[in-house]
Amino acid sequence: LGIEDYVNFVEPPMGRTFHRDQMVALYRVADVVADEFGVGWFGNVTLEGLAMATPVVSYVDDEVMTKLYPAGHPIISSRDARGVAAALVALAKSPERRREIGKRSRVWIMQHHAPSATTDTYVAALTDMLVRMR
């Protein structure tokens, strides 16, 4: 994308991966988290970035996301280089937009992925499965 001068690439100080506390420190100083542009789904880095109130640019399958989250989601989705570049440029130009998306990201995570939210989802799914097994 030609943005190398504006990106801090970091390597784990020891080993092949970062420990959770190291990742939290990186999220705290990041303006944007960019993650997974291939499969159309999100992983831990996306969820953790959103939980830290940081805008996330990734690729998610909008059809699947709409079914699971009809009210929407805060992930800035793009699969191609031009779309990713445009999203990063827009975020770089507007600290206010980054803050607003970051706030929405944190609210969304708490609504859909916090233990209190997921507990209800799992209980409902298991209850439904048990009812169907009778």
Side-chain angles (χ1 to χ4, degrees):
L1 298 176
I3 60 172
E4 293 82 5
D5 292 342
Y6 305 99
V7 176
N8 292 322
F9 293 96
V10 293
E11 293 183 30
M14 299 178 71
R16 293 176 22 182
T17 61
F18 288 98
H19 297 283
R20 175 116 355 195
D21 58 333
Q22 293 166 326
M23 289 299 293
V24 168
L26 292 171
Y27 296 133
R28 278 195 181 116
V29 298
D31 292 318
V32 178
V33 170
D35 183 41
E36 185 56 56
F37 296 97
V39 299
W41 196 240
F42 52 82
N44 285 346
V45 171
T46 292
L47 294 175
E48 290 169 353
L50 296 171
M52 294 294 293
T54 305
V56 173
V57 178
S58 184
Y59 168 65
V60 291
D61 183 321
D62 285 325
E63 186 176 327
V64 173
M65 293 295 282
T66 300
K67 287 179 185 175
L68 293 173
Y69 310 103
H73 63 85
I75 299 168
I76 301 164
S77 181
S78 183
R79 188 175 210 174
D80 63 71
R82 284 190 177 160
V84 172
L88 293 173
V89 167
L91 290 167
K93 289 181 177 180
S94 178
E96 180 57 36
R97 184 165 184 251
R98 288 195 311 268
R99 279 190 295 277
E100 187 268 322
I101 292 170
K103 287 178 187 177
R104 280 193 339 208
S105 298
R106 177 69 181 174
V107 167
W108 185 82
I109 280 290
M110 296 308 290
Q111 289 174 338
H112 298 285
H113 291 275
S116 58
T118 57
T119 299
D120 293 342
T121 300
Y122 285 116
V123 168
L126 290 171
T127 301
D128 182 56
M129 184 177 66
L130 290 171
V131 167
R132 284 187 282 134
M133 289 175 59
R134 288 187 180 176

